[in-house]
Amino acid sequence: MARQDPQQHAEDAAEHIRGALTTRGAEAGRSYALDLIGLAECYFLMGDVPEAVDQTHRAVDAAARTQSTRVRAQLSQLYPYTVGRSSSRTVGEARSRIREVLSAEGAT
């Protein structure tokens, strides 16, 4: 719903995801990484680019610690949010980190 109508639903989605992250914690591995990816997407949808970049870095860190194909697939869906904002150095760095994790998957 947040993708279809970000104005209406992205903040609510982010709130639910933040709650899930608090409940699960980093030891949840795959679920934690998926939640961070979702949270980063919500912040991109809300237009909060600095927070989106921060959450993207956290998501990339969590994704790098898993071997989950689903996490890689979700991370690849986050990538387009970083394209077209190339004038921002911080977004470019987040985009590069996503690429690194996705290309490392192909190398293993």
Side-chain angles (χ1 to χ4, degrees):
M1 289 184 353
R3 288 183 193 123
Q4 299 302 316
D5 188 356
Q7 294 285 331
Q8 183 73 25
H9 300 291
E11 179 57 46
D12 287 341
E15 184 177 328
H16 287 287
I17 294 169
R18 285 189 296 267
L21 285 164
T22 301
T23 301
R24 280 193 245 275
E27 62 276 357
R30 184 181 89 156
S31 295
Y32 188 76
L34 291 168
D35 287 341
L36 288 170
I37 293 166
L39 188 58
E41 181 179 4
C42 285
Y43 282 113
F44 276 118
L45 290 169
M46 290 186 291
D48 186 345
V49 175
E51 189 62 31
V53 167
D54 287 345
Q55 296 304 324
T56 298
H57 285 294
R58 291 181 65 206
V60 168
D61 291 342
R65 291 189 299 266
T66 73
Q67 296 298 314
S68 171
T69 305
R70 184 169 173 215
V71 168
R72 298 300 189 278
Q74 288 299 110
L75 195 59
S76 70
Q77 290 183 0
L78 184 61
Y79 184 85
Y81 289 99
T82 67
V83 176
R85 302 173 198 269
S86 58
S87 62
S88 168
R89 179 185 54 79
T90 59
V91 174
E93 290 169 356
R95 181 174 49 248
S96 293
R97 291 198 63 216
I98 291 171
R99 268 196 314 263
E100 287 172 13
V101 168
L102 294 177
S103 66
E105 173 68 13
T108 58

